[in-house]
Amino acid sequence: MTQTQQDGRTRTFGWTDPAVHAELIGRRSGLDLLQAMARGELPAPPIMQLIDLAGLEAEEGSVTLRLDPQEFHYNPLGTVHGGVISTLLDTAAACSVHTTLPVGVGYTSLDLTVKFLRPITIASGRLTCTGSVLQRGRRTALAEARLVDGRGKLAAHATSSCLIFDL
């Protein structure tokens, strides 16, 4: 549950126990897990509740996230904080790797290189962040993510390396 009141500058949100997702890693493939979240059959992880993610789509090798910029995402300069943007990019890139993993295999991000290209505000419109696997080996994967604003203009992009391991 997320309730936001911009004028009153208040926000309330709830989240589910993150152990729910951790337990499913050993029982579902990455693609199955993410598609179940996209369909609403499984709750989104707490970070997605925190930033108020508007949507998730997953297919093999690619994940797309949607976010409507809101005032509570802002930094002191009046634009969306780079940490929120980096969270979207990291999630899209890493989850694209997750879609390629079978049951019992996990991953973690090794690095994230972000390039911020333009300021993002509420006026930017709905953000779309798409991650794609560029290369996957037995123990590591390379992925990228591109974030575009509501007009389709590239606002930020990132590359990420992920470590793949058996659980």
Side-chain angles (χ1 to χ4, degrees):
M1 171 187 86
T2 301
Q3 296 175 332
T4 302
Q5 181 184 2
Q6 296 282 125
D7 295 335
R9 309 277 186 305
T10 62
R11 182 164 184 250
T12 304
F13 67 97
W15 62 93
T16 56
D17 182 353
V20 169
H21 296 102
E23 290 173 7
L24 294 173
I25 299 279
R27 294 184 285 178
R28 294 178 95 155
S29 72
L31 181 59
D32 184 42
L33 185 71
L34 288 164
Q35 287 180 335
M37 279 188 242
R39 290 189 301 267
E41 295 168 10
L42 290 174
I47 187 64
M48 297 299 106
Q49 297 296 327
L50 178 66
I51 65 171
D52 199 17
L53 190 71
L56 163 72
E57 298 167 24
E59 59 185 54
E60 177 122 13
S62 180
V63 166
T64 299
L65 307 172
R66 290 184 174 45
L67 180 81
D68 296 315
Q70 299 182 57
E71 193 175 78
F72 63 83
H73 294 133
Y74 278 18
N75 61 27
L77 301 174
T79 60
V80 173
H81 191 281
V84 174
I85 296 166
S86 295
T87 296
L88 286 171
L89 293 163
D90 178 56
T91 301
C95 285
S96 69
V97 172
H98 196 181
T99 66
T100 69
L101 302 181
V103 174
V105 177
Y107 72 98
T108 189
S109 297
L110 289 171
D111 60 31
L112 180 70
T113 302
V114 176
K115 300 295 182 191
F116 303 103
L117 304 174
R118 65 182 67 248
I120 297 171
T121 65
I122 291 170
S124 299
R126 178 165 281 186
L127 305 176
T128 301
C129 187
T130 302
S132 303
V133 175
L134 298 174
Q135 185 176 14
R136 179 167 170 247
R138 198 172 66 79
R139 290 289 167 220
T140 61
L142 177 65
E144 70 174 352
R146 298 173 53 84
L147 186 134
V148 298
D149 66 16
R151 296 181 312 265
K153 294 193 176 254
L154 186 63
H157 66 88
T159 57
S160 178
S161 299
C162 292
L163 176 66
I164 300 168
F165 52 84
D166 294 327
L167 297 173

PDB file of all heavy atoms in Angstrom, residues 21-31 33-34 94-95 97-108 136-141 162-167:
ATOM      1  N   HIS A  21      10.595 -13.439  -0.926  1.00  0.00           N
ATOM      2  CA  HIS A  21      11.297 -13.541  -2.199  1.00  0.00           C
ATOM      3  C   HIS A  21      12.527 -14.438  -2.086  1.00  0.00           C
ATOM      4  O   HIS A  21      12.787 -15.245  -2.974  1.00  0.00           O
ATOM      5  CB  HIS A  21      11.718 -12.156  -2.691  1.00  0.00           C
ATOM      6  CG  HIS A  21      10.551 -11.279  -2.982  1.00  0.00           C
ATOM      7  ND1 HIS A  21      10.145 -10.298  -2.130  1.00  0.00           N
ATOM      8  CD2 HIS A  21       9.683 -11.261  -4.025  1.00  0.00           C
ATOM      9  CE1 HIS A  21       9.083  -9.711  -2.626  1.00  0.00           C
ATOM     10  NE2 HIS A  21       8.785 -10.272  -3.770  1.00  0.00           N
ATOM     11  N   ALA A  22      13.256 -14.296  -1.015  1.00  0.00           N
ATOM     12  CA  ALA A  22      14.469 -15.097  -0.833  1.00  0.00           C
ATOM     13  C   ALA A  22      14.150 -16.588  -0.833  1.00  0.00           C
ATOM     14  O   ALA A  22      14.885 -17.388  -1.413  1.00  0.00           O
ATOM     15  CB  ALA A  22      15.178 -14.690   0.452  1.00  0.00           C
ATOM     16  N   GLU A  23      13.060 -16.963  -0.208  1.00  0.00           N
ATOM     17  CA  GLU A  23      12.672 -18.383  -0.167  1.00  0.00           C
ATOM     18  C   GLU A  23      12.300 -18.919  -1.552  1.00  0.00           C
ATOM     19  O   GLU A  23      12.486 -20.095  -1.831  1.00  0.00           O
ATOM     20  CB  GLU A  23      11.486 -18.572   0.783  1.00  0.00           C
ATOM     21  CG  GLU A  23      11.841 -18.382   2.243  1.00  0.00           C
ATOM     22  CD  GLU A  23      10.625 -18.409   3.147  1.00  0.00           C
ATOM     23  OE1 GLU A  23       9.507 -18.715   2.667  1.00  0.00           O
ATOM     24  OE2 GLU A  23      10.796 -18.115   4.340  1.00  0.00           O
ATOM     25  N   LEU A  24      11.763 -18.065  -2.404  1.00  0.00           N
ATOM     26  CA  LEU A  24      11.319 -18.502  -3.731  1.00  0.00           C
ATOM     27  C   LEU A  24      12.462 -18.691  -4.716  1.00  0.00           C
ATOM     28  O   LEU A  24      12.296 -19.380  -5.722  1.00  0.00           O
ATOM     29  CB  LEU A  24      10.299 -17.508  -4.291  1.00  0.00           C
ATOM     30  CG  LEU A  24       8.980 -17.452  -3.532  1.00  0.00           C
ATOM     31  CD1 LEU A  24       8.121 -16.322  -4.069  1.00  0.00           C
ATOM     32  CD2 LEU A  24       8.249 -18.779  -3.622  1.00  0.00           C
ATOM     33  N   ILE A  25      13.621 -18.091  -4.443  1.00  0.00           N
ATOM     34  CA  ILE A  25      14.761 -18.205  -5.358  1.00  0.00           C
ATOM     35  C   ILE A  25      15.116 -19.675  -5.591  1.00  0.00           C
ATOM     36  O   ILE A  25      15.421 -20.073  -6.701  1.00  0.00           O
ATOM     37  CB  ILE A  25      15.994 -17.453  -4.811  1.00  0.00           C
ATOM     38  CG1 ILE A  25      15.679 -15.970  -4.648  1.00  0.00           C
ATOM     39  CG2 ILE A  25      17.218 -17.671  -5.666  1.00  0.00           C
ATOM     40  CD1 ILE A  25      15.750 -15.149  -5.881  1.00  0.00           C
ATOM     41  N   GLY A  26      15.041 -20.466  -4.566  1.00  0.00           N
ATOM     42  CA  GLY A  26      15.388 -21.878  -4.695  1.00  0.00           C
ATOM     43  C   GLY A  26      14.297 -22.740  -5.288  1.00  0.00           C
ATOM     44  O   GLY A  26      14.502 -23.927  -5.528  1.00  0.00           O
ATOM     45  N   ARG A  27      13.117 -22.144  -5.540  1.00  0.00           N
ATOM     46  CA  ARG A  27      11.992 -22.933  -6.034  1.00  0.00           C
ATOM     47  C   ARG A  27      11.423 -22.479  -7.372  1.00  0.00           C
ATOM     48  O   ARG A  27      10.592 -23.164  -7.952  1.00  0.00           O
ATOM     49  CB  ARG A  27      10.868 -22.925  -5.004  1.00  0.00           C
ATOM     50  CG  ARG A  27      11.266 -23.646  -3.723  1.00  0.00           C
ATOM     51  CD  ARG A  27      10.133 -23.722  -2.778  1.00  0.00           C
ATOM     52  NE  ARG A  27       9.949 -22.401  -2.168  1.00  0.00           N
ATOM     53  CZ  ARG A  27       8.996 -22.110  -1.308  1.00  0.00           C
ATOM     54  NH1 ARG A  27       8.129 -23.009  -0.965  1.00  0.00           N
ATOM     55  NH2 ARG A  27       8.903 -20.916  -0.792  1.00  0.00           N
ATOM     56  N   ARG A  28      11.858 -21.307  -7.841  1.00  0.00           N
ATOM     57  CA  ARG A  28      11.340 -20.782  -9.111  1.00  0.00           C
ATOM     58  C   ARG A  28      12.488 -20.215  -9.923  1.00  0.00           C
ATOM     59  O   ARG A  28      13.458 -19.703  -9.379  1.00  0.00           O
ATOM     60  CB  ARG A  28      10.329 -19.666  -8.847  1.00  0.00           C
ATOM     61  CG  ARG A  28       9.070 -20.160  -8.155  1.00  0.00           C
ATOM     62  CD  ARG A  28       8.135 -19.028  -7.869  1.00  0.00           C
ATOM     63  NE  ARG A  28       7.140 -18.899  -8.924  1.00  0.00           N
ATOM     64  CZ  ARG A  28       5.944 -18.342  -8.728  1.00  0.00           C
ATOM     65  NH1 ARG A  28       5.612 -17.871  -7.554  1.00  0.00           N
ATOM     66  NH2 ARG A  28       5.103 -18.254  -9.714  1.00  0.00           N
ATOM     67  N   SER A  29      12.357 -20.271 -11.223  1.00  0.00           N
ATOM     68  CA  SER A  29      13.372 -19.641 -12.072  1.00  0.00           C
ATOM     69  C   SER A  29      13.253 -18.120 -11.922  1.00  0.00           C
ATOM     70  O   SER A  29      12.220 -17.601 -11.489  1.00  0.00           O
ATOM     71  CB  SER A  29      13.160 -20.031 -13.539  1.00  0.00           C
ATOM     72  OG  SER A  29      12.009 -19.395 -14.061  1.00  0.00           O
ATOM     73  N   GLY A  30      14.300 -17.415 -12.308  1.00  0.00           N
ATOM     74  CA  GLY A  30      14.273 -15.963 -12.232  1.00  0.00           C
ATOM     75  C   GLY A  30      13.168 -15.362 -13.074  1.00  0.00           C
ATOM     76  O   GLY A  30      12.472 -14.440 -12.641  1.00  0.00           O
ATOM     77  N   LEU A  31      12.985 -15.873 -14.284  1.00  0.00           N
ATOM     78  CA  LEU A  31      11.941 -15.351 -15.165  1.00  0.00           C
ATOM     79  C   LEU A  31      10.562 -15.580 -14.561  1.00  0.00           C
ATOM     80  O   LEU A  31       9.724 -14.676 -14.535  1.00  0.00           O
ATOM     81  CB  LEU A  31      12.039 -15.995 -16.553  1.00  0.00           C
ATOM     82  CG  LEU A  31      11.017 -15.513 -17.583  1.00  0.00           C
ATOM     83  CD1 LEU A  31      11.128 -14.006 -17.809  1.00  0.00           C
ATOM     84  CD2 LEU A  31      11.183 -16.278 -18.890  1.00  0.00           C
ATOM     85  N   LEU A  33       9.747 -15.958 -11.412  1.00  0.00           N
ATOM     86  CA  LEU A  33       9.605 -15.108 -10.235  1.00  0.00           C
ATOM     87  C   LEU A  33       9.248 -13.667 -10.632  1.00  0.00           C
ATOM     88  O   LEU A  33       8.291 -13.077 -10.114  1.00  0.00           O
ATOM     89  CB  LEU A  33      10.897 -15.129  -9.422  1.00  0.00           C
ATOM     90  CG  LEU A  33      10.895 -14.391  -8.101  1.00  0.00           C
ATOM     91  CD1 LEU A  33      10.037 -15.120  -7.080  1.00  0.00           C
ATOM     92  CD2 LEU A  33      12.317 -14.274  -7.578  1.00  0.00           C
ATOM     93  N   LEU A  34       9.986 -13.107 -11.581  1.00  0.00           N
ATOM     94  CA  LEU A  34       9.741 -11.725 -11.995  1.00  0.00           C
ATOM     95  C   LEU A  34       8.412 -11.569 -12.728  1.00  0.00           C
ATOM     96  O   LEU A  34       7.709 -10.571 -12.549  1.00  0.00           O
ATOM     97  CB  LEU A  34      10.902 -11.221 -12.844  1.00  0.00           C
ATOM     98  CG  LEU A  34      12.175 -10.966 -12.034  1.00  0.00           C
ATOM     99  CD1 LEU A  34      13.387 -10.857 -12.956  1.00  0.00           C
ATOM    100  CD2 LEU A  34      12.035  -9.728 -11.181  1.00  0.00           C
ATOM    101  N   ALA A  94      20.251  -5.723 -13.418  1.00  0.00           N
ATOM    102  CA  ALA A  94      20.452  -6.964 -12.664  1.00  0.00           C
ATOM    103  C   ALA A  94      19.280  -7.931 -12.838  1.00  0.00           C
ATOM    104  O   ALA A  94      19.481  -9.133 -12.995  1.00  0.00           O
ATOM    105  CB  ALA A  94      20.674  -6.647 -11.183  1.00  0.00           C
ATOM    106  N   CYS A  95      18.069  -7.405 -12.835  1.00  0.00           N
ATOM    107  CA  CYS A  95      16.919  -8.295 -13.011  1.00  0.00           C
ATOM    108  C   CYS A  95      16.868  -8.887 -14.413  1.00  0.00           C
ATOM    109  O   CYS A  95      16.327  -9.982 -14.607  1.00  0.00           O
ATOM    110  CB  CYS A  95      15.620  -7.576 -12.666  1.00  0.00           C
ATOM    111  SG  CYS A  95      15.372  -7.359 -10.892  1.00  0.00           S
ATOM    112  N   VAL A  97      19.447  -9.993 -15.895  1.00  0.00           N
ATOM    113  CA  VAL A  97      20.277 -11.190 -15.689  1.00  0.00           C
ATOM    114  C   VAL A  97      19.463 -12.248 -14.956  1.00  0.00           C
ATOM    115  O   VAL A  97      19.502 -13.435 -15.303  1.00  0.00           O
ATOM    116  CB  VAL A  97      21.573 -10.844 -14.916  1.00  0.00           C
ATOM    117  CG1 VAL A  97      22.334 -12.104 -14.522  1.00  0.00           C
ATOM    118  CG2 VAL A  97      22.448  -9.909 -15.752  1.00  0.00           C
ATOM    119  N   HIS A  98      18.700 -11.824 -13.950  1.00  0.00           N
ATOM    120  CA  HIS A  98      17.894 -12.769 -13.168  1.00  0.00           C
ATOM    121  C   HIS A  98      16.944 -13.572 -14.056  1.00  0.00           C
ATOM    122  O   HIS A  98      16.701 -14.754 -13.807  1.00  0.00           O
ATOM    123  CB  HIS A  98      17.119 -12.001 -12.102  1.00  0.00           C
ATOM    124  CG  HIS A  98      16.553 -12.839 -11.021  1.00  0.00           C
ATOM    125  ND1 HIS A  98      15.812 -12.310 -10.012  1.00  0.00           N
ATOM    126  CD2 HIS A  98      16.598 -14.172 -10.773  1.00  0.00           C
ATOM    127  CE1 HIS A  98      15.421 -13.270  -9.191  1.00  0.00           C
ATOM    128  NE2 HIS A  98      15.892 -14.418  -9.633  1.00  0.00           N
ATOM    129  N   THR A  99      16.416 -12.952 -15.121  1.00  0.00           N
ATOM    130  CA  THR A  99      15.475 -13.660 -16.001  1.00  0.00           C
ATOM    131  C   THR A  99      16.121 -14.830 -16.724  1.00  0.00           C
ATOM    132  O   THR A  99      15.413 -15.681 -17.270  1.00  0.00           O
ATOM    133  CB  THR A  99      14.867 -12.718 -17.064  1.00  0.00           C
ATOM    134  OG1 THR A  99      15.886 -12.272 -17.951  1.00  0.00           O
ATOM    135  CG2 THR A  99      14.130 -11.549 -16.436  1.00  0.00           C
ATOM    136  N   THR A 100      17.443 -14.892 -16.754  1.00  0.00           N
ATOM    137  CA  THR A 100      18.139 -15.980 -17.461  1.00  0.00           C
ATOM    138  C   THR A 100      18.539 -17.122 -16.529  1.00  0.00           C
ATOM    139  O   THR A 100      19.112 -18.106 -16.996  1.00  0.00           O
ATOM    140  CB  THR A 100      19.407 -15.454 -18.167  1.00  0.00           C
ATOM    141  OG1 THR A 100      20.391 -15.092 -17.183  1.00  0.00           O
ATOM    142  CG2 THR A 100      19.094 -14.272 -19.071  1.00  0.00           C
ATOM    143  N   LEU A 101      18.251 -16.977 -15.226  1.00  0.00           N
ATOM    144  CA  LEU A 101      18.740 -17.954 -14.249  1.00  0.00           C
ATOM    145  C   LEU A 101      17.717 -19.037 -13.938  1.00  0.00           C
ATOM    146  O   LEU A 101      16.541 -18.742 -13.709  1.00  0.00           O
ATOM    147  CB  LEU A 101      19.139 -17.242 -12.952  1.00  0.00           C
ATOM    148  CG  LEU A 101      20.209 -16.155 -13.098  1.00  0.00           C
ATOM    149  CD1 LEU A 101      20.516 -15.547 -11.741  1.00  0.00           C
ATOM    150  CD2 LEU A 101      21.458 -16.710 -13.753  1.00  0.00           C
ATOM    151  N   PRO A 102      18.176 -20.285 -13.881  1.00  0.00           N
ATOM    152  CA  PRO A 102      17.283 -21.386 -13.530  1.00  0.00           C
ATOM    153  C   PRO A 102      17.055 -21.447 -12.011  1.00  0.00           C
ATOM    154  O   PRO A 102      17.673 -20.711 -11.242  1.00  0.00           O
ATOM    155  CB  PRO A 102      18.040 -22.625 -14.023  1.00  0.00           C
ATOM    156  CG  PRO A 102      19.480 -22.232 -13.912  1.00  0.00           C
ATOM    157  CD  PRO A 102      19.521 -20.761 -14.219  1.00  0.00           C
ATOM    158  N   VAL A 103      16.194 -22.346 -11.609  1.00  0.00           N
ATOM    159  CA  VAL A 103      15.929 -22.590 -10.189  1.00  0.00           C
ATOM    160  C   VAL A 103      17.241 -22.913  -9.477  1.00  0.00           C
ATOM    161  O   VAL A 103      18.089 -23.636 -10.010  1.00  0.00           O
ATOM    162  CB  VAL A 103      14.950 -23.781 -10.031  1.00  0.00           C
ATOM    163  CG1 VAL A 103      14.778 -24.156  -8.563  1.00  0.00           C
ATOM    164  CG2 VAL A 103      13.616 -23.466 -10.670  1.00  0.00           C
ATOM    165  N   GLY A 104      17.423 -22.340  -8.289  1.00  0.00           N
ATOM    166  CA  GLY A 104      18.596 -22.654  -7.475  1.00  0.00           C
ATOM    167  C   GLY A 104      19.854 -21.870  -7.810  1.00  0.00           C
ATOM    168  O   GLY A 104      20.926 -22.151  -7.286  1.00  0.00           O
ATOM    169  N   VAL A 105      19.743 -20.879  -8.700  1.00  0.00           N
ATOM    170  CA  VAL A 105      20.895 -20.066  -9.067  1.00  0.00           C
ATOM    171  C   VAL A 105      20.581 -18.615  -8.716  1.00  0.00           C
ATOM    172  O   VAL A 105      19.493 -18.117  -9.013  1.00  0.00           O
ATOM    173  CB  VAL A 105      21.232 -20.204 -10.572  1.00  0.00           C
ATOM    174  CG1 VAL A 105      22.392 -19.307 -10.958  1.00  0.00           C
ATOM    175  CG2 VAL A 105      21.542 -21.661 -10.899  1.00  0.00           C
ATOM    176  N   GLY A 106      21.545 -17.956  -8.069  1.00  0.00           N
ATOM    177  CA  GLY A 106      21.370 -16.570  -7.667  1.00  0.00           C
ATOM    178  C   GLY A 106      22.392 -15.665  -8.331  1.00  0.00           C
ATOM    179  O   GLY A 106      23.231 -16.112  -9.120  1.00  0.00           O
ATOM    180  N   TYR A 107      22.340 -14.401  -7.995  1.00  0.00           N
ATOM    181  CA  TYR A 107      23.264 -13.425  -8.574  1.00  0.00           C
ATOM    182  C   TYR A 107      23.405 -12.254  -7.610  1.00  0.00           C
ATOM    183  O   TYR A 107      22.583 -12.057  -6.709  1.00  0.00           O
ATOM    184  CB  TYR A 107      22.758 -12.919  -9.927  1.00  0.00           C
ATOM    185  CG  TYR A 107      21.567 -12.001  -9.776  1.00  0.00           C
ATOM    186  CD1 TYR A 107      21.729 -10.616  -9.783  1.00  0.00           C
ATOM    187  CD2 TYR A 107      20.287 -12.509  -9.580  1.00  0.00           C
ATOM    188  CE1 TYR A 107      20.647  -9.772  -9.607  1.00  0.00           C
ATOM    189  CE2 TYR A 107      19.211 -11.677  -9.402  1.00  0.00           C
ATOM    190  CZ  TYR A 107      19.387 -10.319  -9.418  1.00  0.00           C
ATOM    191  OH  TYR A 107      18.332  -9.490  -9.231  1.00  0.00           O
ATOM    192  N   THR A 108      24.428 -11.478  -7.819  1.00  0.00           N
ATOM    193  CA  THR A 108      24.575 -10.196  -7.139  1.00  0.00           C
ATOM    194  C   THR A 108      25.324  -9.248  -8.067  1.00  0.00           C
ATOM    195  O   THR A 108      26.126  -9.693  -8.890  1.00  0.00           O
ATOM    196  CB  THR A 108      25.314 -10.348  -5.788  1.00  0.00           C
ATOM    197  OG1 THR A 108      25.248  -9.119  -5.061  1.00  0.00           O
ATOM    198  CG2 THR A 108      26.765 -10.750  -5.978  1.00  0.00           C
ATOM    199  N   ARG A 136      26.333 -13.321 -21.185  1.00  0.00           N
ATOM    200  CA  ARG A 136      26.236 -14.128 -19.981  1.00  0.00           C
ATOM    201  C   ARG A 136      27.128 -15.343 -20.105  1.00  0.00           C
ATOM    202  O   ARG A 136      27.042 -16.092 -21.076  1.00  0.00           O
ATOM    203  CB  ARG A 136      24.805 -14.575 -19.739  1.00  0.00           C
ATOM    204  CG  ARG A 136      24.743 -15.434 -18.493  1.00  0.00           C
ATOM    205  CD  ARG A 136      23.368 -15.693 -17.962  1.00  0.00           C
ATOM    206  NE  ARG A 136      23.525 -16.716 -16.947  1.00  0.00           N
ATOM    207  CZ  ARG A 136      23.053 -17.943 -17.040  1.00  0.00           C
ATOM    208  NH1 ARG A 136      22.362 -18.305 -18.078  1.00  0.00           N
ATOM    209  NH2 ARG A 136      23.278 -18.814 -16.084  1.00  0.00           N
ATOM    210  N   GLY A 137      27.979 -15.493 -19.112  1.00  0.00           N
ATOM    211  CA  GLY A 137      28.813 -16.676 -19.019  1.00  0.00           C
ATOM    212  C   GLY A 137      28.329 -17.562 -17.888  1.00  0.00           C
ATOM    213  O   GLY A 137      27.229 -17.391 -17.375  1.00  0.00           O
ATOM    214  N   ARG A 138      29.172 -18.511 -17.490  1.00  0.00           N
ATOM    215  CA  ARG A 138      28.805 -19.433 -16.416  1.00  0.00           C
ATOM    216  C   ARG A 138      28.803 -18.754 -15.056  1.00  0.00           C
ATOM    217  O   ARG A 138      27.967 -19.055 -14.207  1.00  0.00           O
ATOM    218  CB  ARG A 138      29.786 -20.612 -16.417  1.00  0.00           C
ATOM    219  CG  ARG A 138      29.301 -21.823 -15.670  1.00  0.00           C
ATOM    220  CD  ARG A 138      30.212 -23.018 -15.863  1.00  0.00           C
ATOM    221  NE  ARG A 138      31.527 -22.870 -15.289  1.00  0.00           N
ATOM    222  CZ  ARG A 138      31.801 -23.027 -13.981  1.00  0.00           C
ATOM    223  NH1 ARG A 138      30.839 -23.324 -13.162  1.00  0.00           N
ATOM    224  NH2 ARG A 138      33.028 -22.901 -13.547  1.00  0.00           N
ATOM    225  N   ARG A 139      29.715 -17.820 -14.818  1.00  0.00           N
ATOM    226  CA  ARG A 139      29.861 -17.185 -13.502  1.00  0.00           C
ATOM    227  C   ARG A 139      29.645 -15.677 -13.495  1.00  0.00           C
ATOM    228  O   ARG A 139      29.503 -15.091 -12.428  1.00  0.00           O
ATOM    229  CB  ARG A 139      31.238 -17.499 -12.907  1.00  0.00           C
ATOM    230  CG  ARG A 139      31.393 -18.928 -12.508  1.00  0.00           C
ATOM    231  CD  ARG A 139      30.546 -19.202 -11.268  1.00  0.00           C
ATOM    232  NE  ARG A 139      30.445 -20.625 -11.041  1.00  0.00           N
ATOM    233  CZ  ARG A 139      29.341 -21.225 -10.651  1.00  0.00           C
ATOM    234  NH1 ARG A 139      28.249 -20.555 -10.434  1.00  0.00           N
ATOM    235  NH2 ARG A 139      29.311 -22.518 -10.464  1.00  0.00           N
ATOM    236  N   THR A 140      29.651 -15.037 -14.652  1.00  0.00           N
ATOM    237  CA  THR A 140      29.414 -13.590 -14.693  1.00  0.00           C
ATOM    238  C   THR A 140      28.512 -13.232 -15.871  1.00  0.00           C
ATOM    239  O   THR A 140      28.393 -13.996 -16.828  1.00  0.00           O
ATOM    240  CB  THR A 140      30.726 -12.771 -14.822  1.00  0.00           C
ATOM    241  OG1 THR A 140      31.379 -13.137 -16.038  1.00  0.00           O
ATOM    242  CG2 THR A 140      31.641 -12.992 -13.630  1.00  0.00           C
ATOM    243  N   ALA A 141      27.899 -12.067 -15.755  1.00  0.00           N
ATOM    244  CA  ALA A 141      27.058 -11.551 -16.839  1.00  0.00           C
ATOM    245  C   ALA A 141      27.272 -10.050 -16.928  1.00  0.00           C
ATOM    246  O   ALA A 141      27.575  -9.387 -15.925  1.00  0.00           O
ATOM    247  CB  ALA A 141      25.594 -11.857 -16.576  1.00  0.00           C
ATOM    248  N   CYS A 162      27.398  -8.738 -13.158  1.00  0.00           N
ATOM    249  CA  CYS A 162      26.783  -9.530 -12.094  1.00  0.00           C
ATOM    250  C   CYS A 162      27.554 -10.829 -11.912  1.00  0.00           C
ATOM    251  O   CYS A 162      28.012 -11.437 -12.879  1.00  0.00           O
ATOM    252  CB  CYS A 162      25.344  -9.858 -12.426  1.00  0.00           C
ATOM    253  SG  CYS A 162      24.245  -8.419 -12.425  1.00  0.00           S
ATOM    254  N   LEU A 163      27.671 -11.249 -10.654  1.00  0.00           N
ATOM    255  CA  LEU A 163      28.260 -12.534 -10.302  1.00  0.00           C
ATOM    256  C   LEU A 163      27.114 -13.536 -10.194  1.00  0.00           C
ATOM    257  O   LEU A 163      26.101 -13.273  -9.540  1.00  0.00           O
ATOM    258  CB  LEU A 163      28.995 -12.433  -8.960  1.00  0.00           C
ATOM    259  CG  LEU A 163      29.577 -13.722  -8.416  1.00  0.00           C
ATOM    260  CD1 LEU A 163      30.699 -14.220  -9.308  1.00  0.00           C
ATOM    261  CD2 LEU A 163      30.076 -13.496  -6.990  1.00  0.00           C
ATOM    262  N   ILE A 164      27.267 -14.675 -10.846  1.00  0.00           N
ATOM    263  CA  ILE A 164      26.258 -15.738 -10.840  1.00  0.00           C
ATOM    264  C   ILE A 164      26.776 -16.871  -9.961  1.00  0.00           C
ATOM    265  O   ILE A 164      27.935 -17.274 -10.070  1.00  0.00           O
ATOM    266  CB  ILE A 164      25.989 -16.245 -12.270  1.00  0.00           C
ATOM    267  CG1 ILE A 164      25.475 -15.087 -13.129  1.00  0.00           C
ATOM    268  CG2 ILE A 164      24.992 -17.412 -12.266  1.00  0.00           C
ATOM    269  CD1 ILE A 164      25.444 -15.387 -14.617  1.00  0.00           C
ATOM    270  N   PHE A 165      25.908 -17.398  -9.076  1.00  0.00           N
ATOM    271  CA  PHE A 165      26.349 -18.458  -8.154  1.00  0.00           C
ATOM    272  C   PHE A 165      25.215 -19.413  -7.829  1.00  0.00           C
ATOM    273  O   PHE A 165      24.039 -19.052  -7.905  1.00  0.00           O
ATOM    274  CB  PHE A 165      26.913 -17.843  -6.862  1.00  0.00           C
ATOM    275  CG  PHE A 165      25.988 -16.855  -6.202  1.00  0.00           C
ATOM    276  CD1 PHE A 165      24.989 -17.281  -5.347  1.00  0.00           C
ATOM    277  CD2 PHE A 165      26.119 -15.501  -6.470  1.00  0.00           C
ATOM    278  CE1 PHE A 165      24.142 -16.370  -4.734  1.00  0.00           C
ATOM    279  CE2 PHE A 165      25.263 -14.582  -5.873  1.00  0.00           C
ATOM    280  CZ  PHE A 165      24.282 -15.022  -4.998  1.00  0.00           C
ATOM    281  N   ASP A 166      25.597 -20.636  -7.483  1.00  0.00           N
ATOM    282  CA  ASP A 166      24.609 -21.630  -7.033  1.00  0.00           C
ATOM    283  C   ASP A 166      24.235 -21.330  -5.595  1.00  0.00           C
ATOM    284  O   ASP A 166      25.073 -20.935  -4.785  1.00  0.00           O
ATOM    285  CB  ASP A 166      25.200 -23.045  -7.111  1.00  0.00           C
ATOM    286  CG  ASP A 166      25.482 -23.465  -8.547  1.00  0.00           C
ATOM    287  OD1 ASP A 166      24.724 -23.044  -9.448  1.00  0.00           O
ATOM    288  OD2 ASP A 166      26.453 -24.198  -8.764  1.00  0.00           O
ATOM    289  N   LEU A 167      22.977 -21.508  -5.299  1.00  0.00           N
ATOM    290  CA  LEU A 167      22.495 -21.257  -3.934  1.00  0.00           C
ATOM    291  C   LEU A 167      22.723 -22.448  -3.039  1.00  0.00           C
ATOM    292  O   LEU A 167      22.845 -23.539  -3.427  1.00  0.00           O
ATOM    293  CB  LEU A 167      21.007 -20.899  -3.956  1.00  0.00           C
ATOM    294  CG  LEU A 167      20.685 -19.616  -4.721  1.00  0.00           C
ATOM    295  CD1 LEU A 167      19.196 -19.428  -4.835  1.00  0.00           C
ATOM    296  CD2 LEU A 167      21.290 -18.416  -3.992  1.00  0.00           C
TER     297      LEU A 167
END
